Amino acid sequence: MIETAEAEPEYDDTAIRFLEALWGDGYLSPGGPDEVDRVVEGLSLKGKTILDIGCGSGGITLHLVERHGAAHATGYDVEHLVIETAKKRVAARGLSERARFIQAPPGRLPFADCSFDVVFSKDALLHVPDKDALFADIFRVLRPGGVFAASNWMISHDGEPSPEMKAYIAAEGLSFAMASPARYIRAMRSAGFADVTVRDRNLWYREVARGELEKLKGPLYPTAAAAVGAAYVDKNIKTWEAMQKVLDSGEHRPTHLRGWKPDAKG
């Protein structure tokens, strides 16, 4: 079973409004559509069926259909409110025939074996403590010859987090179960994935996050405060300051992952 550290909702309406104000309509993780494009760079998604794990409020799932030509995309999340938001978004965009959104509690992915050509995820897998069970389940729902492509927030090591990392995780207040790129690689290979690769994104997000913090303290502050309240913005400024320390030290390591399910014929 895939389990998160807790099943209580973590992304309420205030969180959604704040993150979308910072990262763009439909995006609850950084980089917007450009970073999604980098995660799937070199892959042909046209005509493919895609599962987006931890889809949030739906912007990425719909981007994979609209920009990349996926035949059908399924967004899956354990959070009820983000899925309801995503359902409204897909209806408004007139894409209900090509995209659907499913909410289910933490656990085994609610899909049959060999259901998808592609499994995608953007900065959501850090919430799942059991990486081995996670990748065994992702491998299960992929068709032979299918690909897993993701971005995820990681830690540079699997030892005791530094005091600065502990302070950052506490400031986030979310169910982070961060692991190292090496730990992810082992879990993927153990599940059966071949040609596993990683791409470090620390330097990229180190600079992006610095810009986000400057915007939160400056031009974005009035807009964000009007949307969610000044106290909420102030709290997140402190969170970004804590995150910047572990990005600058290199302990916080956003990373791209990719691996293939071998073709049964091979």
Side-chain angles (χ1 to χ4, degrees), residues 141-183:
V141 302
L142 263 178
R143 294 185 179 121
V147 63
F148 166 76
S151 170
N152 198 44
W153 284 14
M154 303 187 194
I155 190 169
S156 61
H157 58 89
D158 291 308
E160 184 76 8
S162 70
E164 291 78 14
M165 178 61 82
K166 289 180 179 178
Y168 161 60
I169 293 173
E172 285 281 13
L174 300 172
S175 59
F176 280 8
M178 296 177 85
S180 70
R183 177 71 187 92

Side-chain angles (χ1 to χ4, degrees), residues 16-31:
I16 293 171
R17 283 185 283 125
F18 172 76
L19 294 175
E20 289 189 348
L22 182 62
W23 287 329
D25 188 37
Y27 287 81
L28 303 184
S29 65

Side-chain angles (χ1 to χ4, degrees), residues 1 9 24 27 60 62 64 73 89 119 185 188 208 217 230:
M1 296 288 287
Y27 287 81
I60 291 174
L62 298 182
L64 295 172
R89 181 166 280 114
V119 174
I185 291 171
M188 290 179 68
V208 168
K217 289 180 172 180

Side-chain angles (χ1 to χ4, degrees), residues 33-46:
D34 290 343
E35 185 65 1
V36 174
D37 293 344
R38 294 185 193 102
V39 174
V40 298
E41 188 176 21
L43 298 176
S44 175
L45 306 185
K46 187 173 178 61

Side-chain angles (χ1 to χ4, degrees), residues 109-122:
L109 293 169
F111 307 104
D113 296 358
C114 304
S115 295
F116 301 97
D117 300 309
V118 179
V119 174
F120 176 93
S121 186
K122 179 72 165 62

Side-chain angles (χ1 to χ4, degrees), residues 6-13 78-82 103 173-174:
E6 58 186 278
E8 290 298 317
E10 297 187 348
Y11 293 88
D12 59 15
D13 183 62
V78 301
E79 299 267 349
H80 176 75
L81 185 57
V82 295
Q103 185 269 335
L174 300 172

